[in-house]
Amino acid sequence: MSSVATLCGRLEKLVGSDCVQFSEALLRDYAISGRSPAAVLKPSSAGEVAEIVRFAGAEKLALVACGSRSKLELGMPPQRYDLALDMTGLRQMAHYDPGDLTVSVDAGIPLSELAKTLAANHQFLPLAVPCGETATAGGAIASGIDSALRLQYGTARDFLIGAEFVDGTGRLCKSGGRVVKNVTGYDLHKLLIGSLGTLGVITRLNFRTFPLPESRGVFLAAFPLLDGALNYRACLLKSGLPFSNVEFFDVAFAGRLAENLNQSGIAVEESLAAGGWQVYASFAGNSAVIQRIQRELRERSAQAEALRSQALDEKSSESLSKSLRDAFDWLRHATSNVTLLRLTLPQFTSVDIVELQHLANHPPLSTAFVLRACNVAYLTLISDGEGDQTDTLREQCVAELFSRAEAKKGGTTILHASHQLKDRVSAWGTKRADFPLMQRVKQAFDPQNIFAPGRFLGGI
């Protein structure tokens, strides 16, 4: 009997045959950078998760926890990958108090399912992440992926109030609680945000919820010149108007966005088709608030000499906002060879944006650029061709982008890239000054280094 078959037999005895899968076809669905696990485990309780983790520790097996797997490729490929821990079997709503605006859910619950339950009570969770129809609560937190509503509601750190998780020794741990006001203990659960499952296996999450707005609106404005669009964006952010989101993007990104909308059977808005630099602003409230913001935006866009501007109806607003929210997903599938980077700078100026495009626009490479809220940008390197010369050029561009961002006290992360590029360039860039502290945190949570070893910064 092979060692893999022996392992699977022992796992079946541990958690039952229904929880263990090891067919080759299924294992490929859980592969990371071409590396597949030996088995997929689908526990149905936190207790089973703890048993599996203790087994993995005793056998020195590396495991990777996942949900819908829409963001499984984030970070570096794990150095070892023996077991995939599919958390979608834990999908209950453990506690919901609409009057207290709090909800406690299992890690594997789909965000779309949670949204329906909250909407029935006129509430919502502002975790507007890519792949929202399939993404799980645990996956959204572990990935740390940007929320499209960050400008108005903050990041997950602002409304995640507690968590339950299994650490690297198999202990069931708790941090925070189910109430908004927590005055005792440390917020250890916030270390799980963006950790990519390298510190613990999330089993349950407690969130603060928010009143669901009556309606939403979107205003689009197109500008012939970069400076005009950037000044208009700055004007909006300083206006004091209650925007849910403000985004700014170039012609190439607008073209990709229009293509994505067309493929979804959605008519492209006039302003989006007008060309030039685009500024998107979204907002929410009752009809009077929506109309007042739209009037002010018409005035401001006219003063800024926009090429074209347009207030969208609610249906179009929803379609465009969803497509922008999912940009991470459709950008990485734009062609067969795409590199998607997330860049942050203290402030993006027109000089910075021109410099970024100049660095990356070298045929056969082309770019698409979008500046999101809170000075977070996505830069996409797109190539229709392949070959050693193209790969070398892409690697040089990425290395230079990391260097320039660091020099300007910013940061760069590779969100999506080929296996070959990640073999040569770290998705996280150079090690940070606080790396020794990060190592100590990893050691405290996962002393045997069994959770996705090497997936995070510096080989953590």
Side-chain angles (χ1 to χ4, degrees):
M1 184 180 290
S2 70
S3 58
V4 172
T6 302
L7 171 63
C8 292
R10 294 173 65 194
L11 288 168
E12 286 178 342
K13 290 181 181 179
L14 180 70
V15 294
S17 59
D18 292 342
C19 295
V20 185
Q21 299 289 332
F22 47 91
S23 69
E24 287 189 18
L26 181 67
L27 296 180
R28 283 195 295 270
D29 291 338
Y30 291 80
I32 303 176
S33 296
R35 179 177 297 172
S36 299
V40 175
L41 304 172
K42 192 172 182 179
S44 57
S45 69
E48 288 184 356
V49 173
E51 286 187 36
I52 293 167
V53 171
R54 286 193 289 269
F55 177 86
E59 299 294 324
K60 295 181 169 47
L61 300 172
L63 60 85
V64 175
C66 59
S68 68
R69 307 188 300 280
S70 60
K71 304 166 192 72
L72 196 57
E73 65 177 289
L74 292 178
M76 295 297 289
Q79 295 163 354
R80 296 182 292 119
Y81 185 18
D82 302 304
L83 305 175
L85 197 55
D86 186 329
M87 297 297 292
T88 57
L90 281 74
R91 55 186 300 152
Q92 299 299 312
M93 183 173 292
H95 175 81
Y96 178 34
D97 187 344
D100 197 34
L101 294 172
T102 56
V103 65
S104 178
V105 296
D106 285 350
I109 191 169
L111 289 176
S112 56
E113 185 177 314
L114 174 58
K116 289 178 183 177
T117 302
L118 295 179
N121 290 280
H122 306 288
Q123 294 178 5
F124 82 115
L125 183 67
L127 202 56
V129 298
C131 313
E133 287 75 18
T134 58
T136 61
I141 293 300
S143 69
I145 200 76
D146 292 311
S147 167
L149 298 177
R150 175 178 179 174
L151 181 64
Q152 185 171 16
Y153 295 95
T155 66
R157 292 182 60 84
D158 299 296
F159 46 84
L160 177 67
I161 58 177
E164 297 178 20
F165 60 96
V166 177
D167 72 4
T169 67
R171 288 180 300 183
L172 292 163
C173 306
K174 291 183 180 181
S175 173
R178 288 197 313 209
V179 296
V180 173
K181 186 175 181 181
N182 259 318
V183 295
T184 60
Y186 296 99
D187 287 343
L188 294 179
H189 52 279
K190 294 186 178 177
L191 291 172
L192 300 172
I193 301 172
S195 65
L196 299 181
T198 58
L199 297 181
V201 180
I202 300 170
T203 57
R204 184 163 290 171
L205 294 160
N206 306 328
F207 294 104
R208 173 194 175 193
T209 63
F210 295 80
L212 185 67
E214 182 180 307
S215 59
R216 300 183 184 276
V218 162
F219 193 90
L220 269 179
F223 294 82
L225 300 176
L226 166 60
D227 283 333
L230 205 56
N231 290 338
Y232 174 71
R233 172 184 179 270
C235 174
L236 297 190
L237 294 175
K238 292 176 183 176
S239 68
L241 293 171
F243 293 114
S244 303
N245 191 14
V246 174
E247 301 199 13
F248 158 96
F249 41 93
D250 66 7
V251 178
F253 182 91
R256 298 280 176 181
L257 178 59
E259 182 181 342
N260 177 257
L261 290 168
N262 278 326
Q263 289 175 351
S264 303
I266 300 167
V268 176
E269 303 302 329
E270 293 178 7
S271 293
L272 195 60
W277 294 83
Q278 303 273 342
V279 180
Y280 154 98
S282 67
F283 34 91
N286 58 38
S287 58
V289 169
I290 298 293
Q291 291 171 14
R292 183 180 68 83
I293 294 175
Q294 288 175 342
R295 283 196 303 270
E296 188 155 346
L297 288 177
R298 287 191 187 95
E299 293 172 4
R300 290 178 181 269
S301 61
Q303 291 170 359
E305 299 181 346
L307 185 66
R308 184 183 290 272
S309 62
Q310 181 182 9
L312 277 58
D313 60 40
E314 189 162 3
K315 183 179 179 181
S316 297
S317 295
E318 183 179 350
S319 299
L320 181 58
S321 297
K322 179 182 179 298
S323 192
L324 277 171
R325 183 197 71 193
D326 286 337
F328 162 80
D329 191 38
W330 52 260
L331 277 173
R332 60 181 171 167
H333 297 121
T335 67
S336 60
N337 204 337
V338 171
T339 302
L340 178 58
L341 300 105
R342 179 184 187 273
L343 300 101
T344 59
L345 291 179
Q347 186 66 41
F348 279 88
T349 66
S350 57
V351 173
D352 294 324
I353 295 169
V354 169
E355 185 179 83
L356 288 173
Q357 292 186 316
H358 177 72
L359 282 173
N361 267 319
H362 294 288
L365 294 181
S366 61
T367 64
F369 176 84
V370 54
L371 177 56
R372 318 203 83 165
C374 306
N375 290 320
V376 174
Y378 282 5
L379 181 66
T380 312
L381 305 182
I382 301 169
S383 171
D384 292 323
E386 298 182 11
D388 292 342
Q389 186 174 359
T390 302
D391 290 343
T392 300
L393 180 60
R394 184 183 294 104
E395 181 182 345
Q396 291 172 344
C397 287
V398 170
E400 185 64 21
L401 288 167
F402 270 99
S403 177
R404 295 291 181 92
E406 187 176 348
K408 295 184 178 186
K409 303 191 183 303
T412 307
T413 306
I414 297 175
L415 298 179
H416 173 83
S418 65
H419 307 165
Q420 294 80 5
L421 182 63
K422 283 190 176 181
D423 285 341
R424 295 190 293 269
V425 180
S426 170
W428 307 102
T430 58
K431 292 180 182 178
R432 297 175 1 183
D434 60 356
F435 180 68
L437 175 60
M438 296 171 68
Q439 285 181 305
R440 293 199 294 274
V441 171
K442 170 70 170 176
Q443 176 65 24
F445 277 75
D446 181 21
Q448 299 182 82
N449 196 28
I450 62 172
F451 291 143
R455 194 177 179 192
F456 206 70
L457 176 64
I460 289 178

